[in-house]
Coordinates of all heavy atoms in Angstrom, one line a residue:
R142 N 22.8 4.1 -7.4 CA 23.2 4.8 -6.1 C 22.0 4.7 -5.1 O 22.3 4.5 -3.9 CB 23.5 6.2 -6.4 CG 24.9 6.4 -7.1 CD 25.2 7.9 -7.1 NE 25.5 8.4 -5.8 CZ 25.8 9.7 -5.7 NH1 25.9 10.5 -6.7 NH2 26.0 10.2 -4.5
M143 N 20.8 4.8 -5.6 CA 19.6 4.8 -4.7 C 19.4 3.5 -4.1 O 19.2 3.4 -2.9 CB 18.4 5.3 -5.5 CG 17.2 5.5 -4.7 SD 17.3 7.0 -3.7 CE 15.6 7.2 -3.3
I144 N 19.5 2.4 -4.9 CA 19.2 1.1 -4.4 C 20.3 0.6 -3.5 O 20.1 -0.1 -2.5 CB 19.0 0.1 -5.5 CG1 18.2 -1.1 -5.1 CG2 20.3 -0.4 -6.2 CD1 16.7 -0.8 -4.8
D145 N 21.6 1.1 -3.7 CA 22.7 0.8 -2.8 C 22.5 1.5 -1.5 O 22.8 0.9 -0.4 CB 24.0 1.2 -3.4 CG 24.6 0.2 -4.4 OD1 24.1 -1.0 -4.4 OD2 25.5 0.4 -5.1
S146 N 22.0 2.7 -1.5 CA 21.7 3.5 -0.3 C 20.7 2.7 0.6 O 20.9 2.6 1.8 CB 21.2 4.8 -0.6 OG 22.2 5.6 -1.2
I147 N 19.7 2.2 -0.1 CA 18.6 1.4 0.6 C 19.2 0.2 1.2 O 18.9 -0.2 2.4 CB 17.5 1.2 -0.3 CG1 16.7 2.5 -0.6 CG2 16.5 0.2 0.3 CD1 15.6 2.4 -1.6
R148 N 20.0 -0.5 0.4 CA 20.7 -1.8 0.9 C 21.5 -1.5 2.1 O 21.4 -2.3 3.2 CB 21.5 -2.4 -0.2 CG 22.4 -3.6 0.3 CD 23.0 -4.3 -0.9 NE 23.9 -3.5 -1.6 CZ 25.2 -3.3 -1.4 NH1 25.7 -3.9 -0.4 NH2 25.9 -2.5 -2.1
F149 N 22.3 -0.4 2.1 CA 23.1 -0.1 3.3 C 22.2 0.3 4.5 O 22.6 0.0 5.7 CB 24.0 1.1 3.0 CG 25.1 0.7 2.0 CD1 25.5 1.5 1.0 CD2 25.9 -0.5 2.2 CE1 26.5 1.2 0.1 CE2 26.9 -0.8 1.4 CZ 27.2 0.0 0.3
L150 N 21.1 0.9 4.3 CA 20.1 1.1 5.5 C 19.8 -0.1 6.1 O 19.8 -0.2 7.4 CB 18.9 1.8 4.9 CG 18.9 3.3 4.6 CD1 17.6 3.8 3.9 CD2 19.3 4.2 5.8
H151 N 19.5 -1.2 5.3 CA 19.2 -2.5 5.9 C 20.4 -3.1 6.6 O 20.3 -3.6 7.7 CB 18.6 -3.4 4.8 CG 18.6 -4.9 5.2 ND1 19.7 -5.7 4.8 CD2 17.7 -5.6 5.9 CE1 19.4 -6.9 5.3 NE2 18.3 -6.9 6.0
D152 N 21.5 -3.2 5.9 CA 22.7 -3.8 6.4 C 23.2 -3.2 7.7 O 23.6 -4.0 8.6 CB 23.8 -3.9 5.4 CG 23.5 -4.7 4.2 OD1 22.5 -5.5 4.2 OD2 24.2 -4.7 3.2
R153 N 23.2 -2.0 7.8 CA 23.8 -1.3 8.9 C 22.9 -1.0 10.1 O 23.3 -0.6 11.2 CB 24.5 0.0 8.4 CG 25.7 -0.4 7.5 CD 26.4 0.7 6.8 NE 27.4 0.3 5.9 CZ 28.1 1.1 5.1 NH1 27.8 2.4 5.0 NH2 29.0 0.6 4.3
S154 N 21.6 -1.1 9.8 CA 20.6 -0.9 10.9 C 20.1 -2.2 11.4 O 19.7 -2.4 12.6 CB 19.4 0.0 10.5 OG 18.6 -0.7 9.5
D155 N 20.1 -3.2 10.5 CA 19.6 -4.6 10.8 C 18.1 -4.6 11.1 O 17.5 -5.6 11.7 CB 20.3 -5.2 12.0 CG 20.1 -6.7 12.0 OD1 20.2 -7.3 10.9 OD2 20.0 -7.3 13.1
V156 N 17.3 -3.5 10.7 CA 15.9 -3.6 10.8 C 15.3 -4.3 9.5 O 15.9 -4.2 8.4 CB 15.3 -2.2 11.0 CG1 15.8 -1.5 12.2 CG2 15.6 -1.3 9.8
P157 N 14.1 -4.8 9.7 CA 13.5 -5.4 8.5 C 13.2 -4.3 7.4 O 12.9 -3.2 7.8 CB 12.2 -6.0 9.0 CG 12.5 -6.3 10.4 CD 13.4 -5.2 10.9
L158 N 13.3 -4.6 6.2 CA 13.0 -3.7 5.1 C 12.1 -4.3 4.1 O 12.4 -5.5 3.6 CB 14.4 -3.3 4.4 CG 14.3 -2.5 3.1 CD1 13.6 -1.1 3.3 CD2 15.7 -2.4 2.4
I159 N 11.0 -3.7 3.8 CA 10.1 -4.2 2.8 C 10.0 -3.2 1.7 O 9.8 -2.0 1.9 CB 8.7 -4.4 3.4 CG1 8.8 -5.5 4.5 CG2 7.7 -4.8 2.4 CD1 7.5 -5.8 5.2
L160 N 10.1 -3.7 0.5 CA 10.0 -2.9 -0.8 C 8.7 -3.2 -1.4 O 8.4 -4.4 -1.7 CB 11.2 -3.2 -1.7 CG 12.5 -3.0 -1.2 CD1 13.6 -3.5 -2.1 CD2 12.8 -1.5 -0.8
I161 N 7.9 -2.2 -1.7 CA 6.6 -2.4 -2.3 C 6.7 -1.8 -3.7 O 7.1 -0.7 -3.9 CB 5.5 -1.7 -1.6 CG1 5.3 -2.2 -0.1 CG2 4.2 -1.7 -2.3 CD1 4.2 -1.5 0.7
G162 N 6.3 -2.7 -4.7 CA 6.3 -2.2 -6.1 C 5.3 -2.9 -7.0 O 4.5 -3.7 -6.5
P163 N 5.3 -2.6 -8.3 CA 4.4 -3.2 -9.2 C 4.6 -4.7 -9.4 O 5.6 -5.3 -8.8 CB 4.6 -2.4 -10.5 CG 6.0 -1.9 -10.3 CD 6.2 -1.7 -8.9
Y164 N 3.8 -5.3 -10.2 CA 3.9 -6.8 -10.3 C 5.3 -7.2 -10.8 O 5.7 -8.3 -10.4 CB 2.8 -7.2 -11.3 CG 2.6 -8.7 -11.3 CD1 2.0 -9.4 -10.4 CD2 3.2 -9.5 -12.4 CE1 1.9 -10.8 -10.4 CE2 3.2 -10.9 -12.4 CZ 2.5 -11.5 -11.4 OH 2.4 -12.9 -11.4
D165 N 5.9 -6.5 -11.8 CA 7.1 -6.9 -12.3 C 8.3 -6.4 -11.5 O 9.5 -6.5 -12.0 CB 7.2 -6.4 -13.8 CG 7.1 -4.9 -13.9 OD1 6.9 -4.2 -12.9 OD2 7.4 -4.4 -15.0
F166 N 8.0 -5.9 -10.4 CA 9.1 -5.3 -9.5 C 10.2 -6.4 -9.2 O 11.4 -6.1 -9.3 CB 8.6 -4.7 -8.3 CG 9.6 -4.1 -7.3 CD1 10.3 -2.9 -7.7 CD2 10.1 -4.8 -6.2 CE1 11.2 -2.4 -6.9 CE2 11.0 -4.3 -5.4 CZ 11.6 -3.1 -5.7
P167 N 9.9 -7.6 -8.8 CA 11.0 -8.6 -8.5 C 11.9 -8.8 -9.7 O 13.1 -9.0 -9.5 CB 10.2 -9.9 -8.2 CG 8.8 -9.3 -7.7 CD 8.5 -8.2 -8.5
A168 N 11.4 -8.9 -10.9 CA 12.2 -9.0 -12.1 C 13.2 -7.9 -12.2 O 14.4 -8.1 -12.6 CB 11.4 -9.3 -13.3
K169 N 12.7 -6.7 -12.0 CA 13.6 -5.5 -12.1 C 14.6 -5.5 -11.1 O 15.7 -5.1 -11.3 CB 12.7 -4.2 -12.2 CG 11.8 -4.1 -13.3 CD 10.9 -2.8 -13.3 CE 10.0 -2.6 -14.6 NZ 9.3 -1.4 -14.5
L170 N 14.2 -5.8 -9.9 CA 15.1 -5.8 -8.7 C 16.2 -6.9 -8.9 O 17.3 -6.6 -8.4 CB 14.3 -6.1 -7.4 CG 15.1 -6.0 -6.1 CD1 15.5 -4.5 -5.9 CD2 14.3 -6.5 -4.9
A171 N 15.9 -7.9 -9.6 CA 16.8 -9.0 -9.7 C 18.2 -8.5 -10.5 O 19.2 -9.2 -10.4 CB 16.3 -10.1 -10.5
K172 N 18.0 -7.4 -11.2 CA 19.2 -6.9 -11.9 C 20.2 -6.2 -10.9 O 21.4 -6.1 -11.3 CB 18.8 -5.8 -12.9 CG 17.9 -6.3 -14.0 CD 17.3 -5.2 -14.9 CE 16.3 -5.8 -15.9 NZ 15.8 -4.6 -16.7
F173 N 19.8 -6.0 -9.7 CA 20.6 -5.4 -8.7 C 20.9 -6.6 -7.6 O 20.3 -6.8 -6.7 CB 20.0 -4.2 -8.0 CG 19.7 -3.2 -8.9 CD1 18.4 -3.1 -9.6 CD2 20.6 -2.1 -9.2 CE1 18.1 -2.1 -10.4 CE2 20.2 -1.1 -10.1 CZ 19.0 -1.1 -10.7
T174 N 21.9 -7.4 -8.0 CA 22.1 -8.7 -7.3 C 22.5 -8.5 -5.9 O 22.1 -9.3 -5.0 CB 23.3 -9.5 -8.0 OG1 24.4 -8.7 -8.1 CG2 22.8 -9.9 -9.4
A175 N 23.2 -7.4 -5.5 CA 23.6 -7.2 -4.1 C 22.4 -7.1 -3.2 O 22.4 -7.7 -2.1 CB 24.5 -5.9 -3.9
I176 N 21.3 -6.5 -3.6 CA 20.1 -6.4 -2.8 C 19.1 -7.5 -3.0 O 18.5 -8.0 -2.0 CB 19.5 -5.0 -2.9 CG1 18.3 -4.8 -1.8 CG2 18.8 -4.8 -4.3 CD1 17.8 -3.4 -1.7
A177 N 19.1 -8.0 -4.3 CA 18.2 -9.1 -4.6 C 18.6 -10.3 -3.8 O 17.7 -11.1 -3.4 CB 18.2 -9.3 -6.0
S178 N 19.9 -10.5 -3.5 CA 20.3 -11.7 -2.8 C 20.0 -11.6 -1.4 O 20.0 -12.7 -0.6 CB 21.8 -11.9 -2.9 OG 22.5 -10.8 -2.3
R179 N 19.5 -10.5 -0.9 CA 19.1 -10.3 0.5 C 17.6 -10.5 0.7 O 17.1 -10.2 1.9 CB 19.6 -8.9 1.1 CG 21.1 -8.9 1.3 CD 21.5 -7.4 1.3 NE 23.0 -7.2 1.8 CZ 24.0 -7.5 1.0 NH1 23.8 -7.8 -0.2 NH2 25.2 -7.4 1.5
V180 N 16.9 -10.7 -0.3 CA 15.4 -10.8 -0.2 C 15.1 -12.2 0.5 O 15.4 -13.3 -0.1 CB 14.7 -10.7 -1.5 CG1 13.3 -11.0 -1.4 CG2 14.9 -9.3 -2.1
M181 N 14.5 -12.1 1.6 CA 14.2 -13.4 2.4 C 12.8 -13.9 1.8 O 12.6 -15.1 1.8 CB 14.1 -13.1 3.9 CG 13.8 -14.3 4.7 SD 13.7 -13.9 6.4 CE 13.3 -15.5 7.1
Q182 N 11.8 -13.0 1.6 CA 10.5 -13.5 1.2 C 9.9 -12.5 0.2 O 10.0 -11.3 0.4 CB 9.6 -13.7 2.5 CG 8.3 -14.4 2.1 CD 7.6 -14.8 3.4 OE1 8.1 -14.6 4.5 NE2 6.4 -15.3 3.3
R183 N 9.1 -13.1 -0.7 CA 8.4 -12.3 -1.7 C 7.0 -12.7 -1.6 O 6.6 -13.8 -1.6 CB 9.0 -12.5 -3.1 CG 8.4 -11.6 -4.2 CD 9.0 -12.0 -5.5 NE 8.4 -13.2 -6.1 CZ 8.9 -13.7 -7.2 NH1 10.0 -13.2 -7.8 NH2 8.4 -14.8 -7.6
V184 N 6.1 -11.7 -1.5 CA 4.6 -11.9 -1.4 C 3.9 -11.1 -2.5 O 4.2 -9.9 -2.7 CB 4.1 -11.4 0.0 CG1 2.6 -11.6 0.1 CG2 4.8 -12.2 1.1
T185 N 3.0 -11.7 -3.2 CA 2.2 -11.1 -4.3 C 0.8 -10.6 -3.6 O 0.1 -11.4 -3.0 CB 1.9 -12.0 -5.3 OG1 3.2 -12.5 -5.8 CG2 1.2 -11.4 -6.5
A186 N 0.6 -9.3 -3.9 CA -0.7 -8.8 -3.4 C -1.8 -9.3 -4.3 O -1.7 -9.4 -5.6 CB -0.7 -7.3 -3.5
H187 N -3.0 -9.6 -3.7 CA -4.1 -10.2 -4.4 C -5.2 -9.2 -4.8 O -5.3 -8.2 -4.1 CB -4.7 -11.3 -3.6 CG -3.9 -12.5 -3.3 ND1 -4.3 -13.5 -2.5 CD2 -2.7 -12.8 -3.7 CE1 -3.3 -14.5 -2.4 NE2 -2.3 -14.0 -3.1
P188 N -5.9 -9.4 -5.9 CA -7.0 -8.6 -6.2 C -8.0 -8.7 -5.0 O -8.1 -9.8 -4.4 CB -7.6 -9.2 -7.5 CG -6.4 -9.8 -8.1 CD -5.6 -10.4 -7.0
A189 N -8.8 -7.7 -4.8 CA -9.9 -7.8 -3.7 C -10.9 -8.8 -4.0 O -11.3 -9.0 -5.1 CB -10.5 -6.4 -3.6
S190 N -11.2 -9.5 -2.9 CA -12.3 -10.5 -3.0 C -13.7 -9.9 -2.7 O -13.8 -8.7 -2.3 CB -12.1 -11.6 -2.0 OG -12.2 -11.1 -0.7
L191 N -14.7 -10.6 -2.9 CA -16.1 -10.1 -2.5 C -16.1 -9.8 -1.1 O -16.7 -8.8 -0.6 CB -17.1 -11.2 -2.9 CG -18.6 -10.8 -2.6 CD1 -19.0 -9.5 -3.3 CD2 -19.5 -12.0 -2.9
E192 N -15.4 -10.6 -0.3 CA -15.4 -10.4 1.2 C -14.7 -9.1 1.5 O -15.2 -8.3 2.4 CB -14.7 -11.5 1.9 CG -14.7 -11.4 3.5 CD -14.0 -12.6 4.1 OE1 -13.6 -13.5 3.5 OE2 -14.0 -12.5 5.4
D193 N -13.6 -8.8 0.8 CA -13.0 -7.5 1.0 C -13.9 -6.4 0.6 O -14.0 -5.3 1.3 CB -11.8 -7.4 0.0 CG -10.6 -8.4 0.5 OD1 -10.5 -8.6 1.7 OD2 -9.8 -8.8 -0.4
A194 N -14.6 -6.5 -0.5 CA -15.6 -5.5 -0.9 C -16.6 -5.2 0.1 O -17.1 -4.1 0.4 CB -16.1 -5.8 -2.3
Q195 N -17.1 -6.3 0.7 CA -18.2 -6.2 1.8 C -17.6 -5.5 3.0 O -18.3 -4.6 3.6 CB -18.6 -7.6 2.2 CG -19.5 -8.3 1.1 CD -19.7 -9.8 1.4 OE1 -18.9 -10.4 2.2 NE2 -20.7 -10.3 0.9
S196 N -16.3 -5.6 3.3 CA -15.7 -4.9 4.4 C -15.6 -3.4 4.0 O -15.9 -2.6 4.8 CB -14.4 -5.4 4.7 OG -13.7 -4.7 5.7
L197 N -15.3 -3.1 2.7 CA -15.1 -1.7 2.3 C -16.5 -1.0 2.4 O -16.5 0.3 2.5 CB -14.5 -1.7 0.9 CG -13.0 -2.0 0.8 CD1 -12.6 -2.3 -0.6 CD2 -12.1 -1.0 1.5
T198 N -17.6 -1.7 2.2 CA -18.8 -1.0 2.2 C -19.2 -0.4 3.6 O -19.9 0.5 3.7 CB -20.0 -1.9 1.8 OG1 -20.0 -3.0 2.7 CG2 -19.9 -2.4 0.4
G199 N -18.5 -1.0 4.6 CA -18.7 -0.6 6.0 C -18.3 0.9 6.1 O -18.9 1.7 7.0
Y200 N -17.4 1.4 5.3 CA -17.0 2.8 5.3 C -17.5 3.6 4.2 O -18.2 4.6 4.3 CB -15.5 2.9 5.4 CG -15.0 4.4 5.5 CD1 -15.1 5.2 6.6 CD2 -14.4 5.0 4.4 CE1 -14.7 6.4 6.7 CE2 -13.9 6.3 4.4 CZ -14.1 7.0 5.6 OH -13.7 8.3 5.6
Y201 N -17.2 3.1 3.0 CA -17.5 3.9 1.8 C -19.0 3.8 1.4 O -19.5 4.6 0.6 CB -16.7 3.4 0.6 CG -15.2 3.7 0.8 CD1 -14.3 2.7 1.2 CD2 -14.7 5.0 0.7 CE1 -13.0 3.0 1.4 CE2 -13.4 5.3 0.9 CZ -12.5 4.2 1.2 OH -11.2 4.6 1.4
G202 N -19.7 2.7 2.0 CA -21.1 2.6 1.7 C -21.9 2.8 2.9 O -23.1 2.3 3.0
R203 N -21.4 3.4 4.0 CA -22.1 3.5 5.3 C -23.4 4.2 5.1 O -23.5 5.2 4.4 CB -21.2 4.2 6.3 CG -20.8 5.6 6.0 CD -19.6 6.1 6.9 NE -19.2 7.4 6.6 CZ -18.5 7.8 5.6 NH1 -18.0 6.9 4.8 NH2 -18.2 9.1 5.5
G204 N -24.4 3.7 5.8 CA -25.7 4.3 5.8 C -26.6 3.7 4.8 O -27.8 3.9 4.8
I205 N -26.1 2.8 3.9 CA -27.0 2.2 2.9 C -26.6 0.6 2.9 O -25.5 0.3 3.5 CB -26.9 2.8 1.5 CG1 -25.4 2.5 0.9 CG2 -27.2 4.2 1.5 CD1 -25.4 2.6 -0.6
K206 N -27.3 -0.1 2.2 CA -27.0 -1.5 1.9 C -26.8 -1.7 0.5 O -27.8 -1.5 -0.3 CB -28.0 -2.5 2.5 CG -27.7 -3.9 2.4 CD -28.7 -4.9 3.0 CE -28.4 -6.3 2.7 NZ -29.4 -7.2 3.2
I207 N -25.7 -2.3 0.1 CA -25.5 -2.7 -1.3 C -25.7 -4.2 -1.4 O -25.0 -5.0 -0.8 CB -24.0 -2.3 -1.8 CG1 -23.8 -0.8 -1.7 CG2 -23.8 -2.7 -3.3 CD1 -22.4 -0.3 -2.1
A208 N -26.6 -4.6 -2.2 CA -27.0 -6.0 -2.4 C -25.8 -6.8 -2.9 O -25.0 -6.3 -3.6 CB -28.2 -6.2 -3.3
P209 N -25.7 -8.1 -2.5 CA -24.5 -8.9 -2.9 C -24.3 -9.1 -4.4 O -23.2 -9.0 -4.9 CB -24.9 -10.3 -2.3 CG -25.7 -10.0 -1.0 CD -26.6 -8.8 -1.5
D210 N -25.5 -9.0 -5.2 CA -25.4 -9.2 -6.6 C -24.7 -7.9 -7.2 O -23.8 -8.0 -8.1 CB -26.7 -9.5 -7.3 CG -27.7 -8.5 -7.0 OD1 -27.6 -7.5 -6.2 OD2 -28.8 -8.6 -7.6
L211 N -25.1 -6.7 -6.7 CA -24.4 -5.5 -7.2 C -23.0 -5.4 -6.8 O -22.1 -5.0 -7.6 CB -25.2 -4.3 -6.7 CG -24.7 -2.9 -7.1 CD1 -24.6 -2.8 -8.6 CD2 -25.6 -1.8 -6.5
L212 N -22.7 -5.8 -5.5 CA -21.4 -5.7 -5.0 C -20.4 -6.7 -5.8 O -19.3 -6.3 -6.2 CB -21.3 -6.0 -3.5 CG -20.0 -5.6 -2.8 CD1 -19.8 -4.2 -2.9 CD2 -20.1 -6.1 -1.4
E213 N -20.9 -7.9 -6.1 CA -20.1 -8.8 -6.8 C -19.9 -8.4 -8.2 O -18.8 -8.5 -8.8 CB -20.9 -10.2 -6.9 CG -20.1 -11.3 -7.6 CD -20.8 -12.6 -7.5 OE1 -22.0 -12.7 -7.0 OE2 -20.2 -13.6 -8.0
H214 N -20.9 -7.7 -8.8 CA -20.7 -7.1 -10.2 C -19.6 -6.0 -10.1 O -18.7 -6.0 -11.0 CB -22.0 -6.5 -10.6 CG -21.9 -5.9 -12.0 ND1 -21.8 -6.6 -13.2 CD2 -21.8 -4.5 -12.4 CE1 -21.7 -5.8 -14.2 NE2 -21.6 -4.5 -13.7
I215 N -19.6 -5.2 -9.1 CA -18.5 -4.2 -9.0 C -17.2 -4.8 -8.9 O -16.2 -4.4 -9.6 CB -18.8 -3.3 -7.8 CG1 -20.0 -2.4 -8.0 CG2 -17.6 -2.4 -7.5 CD1 -20.6 -1.6 -6.8

Side-chain angles (χ1 to χ4, degrees):
R142 289 187 64 181
M143 187 75 163
I144 204 69
D145 278 344
S146 295
I147 290 173
R148 173 169 61 88
F149 289 135
L150 283 171
H151 164 263
D152 289 354
R153 295 173 183 174
S154 70
D155 200 37
V156 299
L158 167 66
I159 295 176
L160 303 174
I161 298 180
Y164 189 80
D165 61 353
F166 180 75
K169 293 180 177 179
L170 185 67
K172 299 175 182 177
F173 302 90
T174 55
I176 191 168
S178 66
R179 288 164 168 78
V180 174
M181 181 180 178
Q182 189 170 355
R183 187 180 77 189
V184 175
T185 303
H187 295 177
S190 64
L191 179 59
E192 184 179 358
D193 288 333
Q195 289 170 337
S196 178
L197 290 167
T198 61
Y200 180 71
Y201 295 103
R203 60 194 183 279
I205 66 161
K206 180 180 180 181
I207 300 177
D210 59 353
L211 177 55
L212 194 59
E213 184 175 5
H214 179 75
I215 291 171

